[in-house]
Amino acid sequence: VLLRVNFLVSERHQTKSELIESEQQYRTLADSGPALIWMAGPSKLCHYFNKVWLEFTGRTLEQEYGNGWTEGVHPDDLKRCIQIYEQAFEQRTKFSMDYRLRRHDGAFRWIQDDGCPRYDTEGRFIGYIGFCLDISERKQNSEALLESEIRFRKLLQEISSVAVQGYDANLVTRYWNRASEQLYGYPASEAIGRKLTDLIIPPPMVD
């Protein structure tokens, strides 16, 4: 009996040591990459933030615990952020959302937050883990590209002497400026969505 007890104690001690070593390796890995990582339990309250997250926000682990992290979310994004977060928890599904998070210098940066449900070895739901990346530059580039496209479309729309159309790979009309309306007689509302061959190509010339 004593030998059996000693064996079980030794086995438990070894398992505990392996778990501690595994956790240390995970924390080292989590702290060495660019991602801001968080974890939450089934209660939706966060109980872990990696070093990268804490250095980004300039806050302590105690300040971020529970719902403390929401204090850094931009007020205009907070309601939407919480809705997506809580809905994912209720459905236990993955989620991805963009929101602005306050950096340690007070500037708000755009963050892409991807969350995934976690389960233990017996299949029980134990919460979520999330990986966040700073996507501010990507957001700025996308907005600049959109503004550029809007200006370009407006310019083409106002040119009265040049008929400009846009078609997709199937020759379906996607853009039709005012000069095209005057030249071909079709208003944009009628031309867009129809094929080029149905609009301005005479039947004998379709082939």
Side-chain angles (χ1 to χ4, degrees), residues 7-18:
F7 173 77
L8 291 175
V9 171
S10 176
E11 188 179 48
R12 181 177 299 176
H13 179 73
Q14 181 179 352
T15 301
K16 184 177 181 180
S17 298
E18 291 175 350

Side-chain angles (χ1 to χ4, degrees), residues 23-194:
E23 182 179 353
Q24 289 175 343
Q25 291 175 348
Y26 168 77
R27 289 181 180 272
T28 300
L29 180 63
D31 291 338
S32 61
L36 288 68
I37 300 175
W38 57 268
M39 285 194 292
S43 65
K44 304 177 186 176
L45 300 178
C46 293
H47 56 74
Y48 171 78
F49 294 89
N50 70 338
K51 183 180 178 181
V52 184
W53 177 291
L54 300 178
E55 289 179 345
F56 181 91
T57 62
R59 288 162 59 89
T60 66
L61 192 60
E62 290 72 23
Q63 288 176 311
E64 301 292 66
Y65 265 144
N67 289 325
W69 63 274
T70 61
E71 297 176 4
V73 178
H74 194 285
D76 293 344
D77 302 331
L78 183 57
K79 183 177 179 180
R80 174 180 54 84
C81 182
I82 295 299
Q83 286 177 342
I84 295 174
Y85 182 79
E86 291 185 343
Q87 183 178 3
F89 260 85
E90 292 170 1
Q91 299 177 353
R92 296 181 184 178
T93 56
K94 294 181 180 180
F95 69 83
S96 181
M97 60 180 174
D98 300 345
Y99 58 89
R100 285 163 288 184
L101 185 67
R102 187 169 53 241
R103 196 168 56 184
H104 57 83
D105 59 0
F108 280 98
R109 304 286 292 179
W110 278 102
I111 297 295
Q112 179 179 317
D113 191 341
D114 294 302
C116 181
R118 299 174 61 228
Y119 298 88
D120 63 16
T121 55
E122 297 182 1
R124 290 180 299 230
F125 174 67
I126 57 175
Y128 268 73
I129 184 170
F131 300 83
C132 310
L133 292 174
D134 187 335
I135 59 168
S136 297
E137 281 71 25
R138 191 174 77 192
K139 275 280 189 180
Q140 292 170 358
N141 292 338
S142 297
E143 291 174 358
L145 182 62
L146 179 60
E147 291 177 2
S148 176
E149 182 178 352
I150 291 174
R151 289 196 299 268
F152 178 70
R153 284 178 174 270
K154 184 177 181 181
L155 176 63
L156 292 181
Q157 187 69 12
E158 297 300 327
I159 296 177
S160 59
S161 59
V162 181
V164 181
Q165 306 93 46
Y167 308 96
D168 63 17
N170 297 316
L171 298 182
V172 175
T173 308
R174 298 305 180 194
Y175 181 76
W176 194 266
N177 73 343
R178 290 176 184 169
S180 296
E181 292 180 332
Q182 296 173 1
L183 179 62
Y184 298 113
Y186 294 103
S189 59
E190 185 178 344
I192 293 176
R194 295 180 61 184

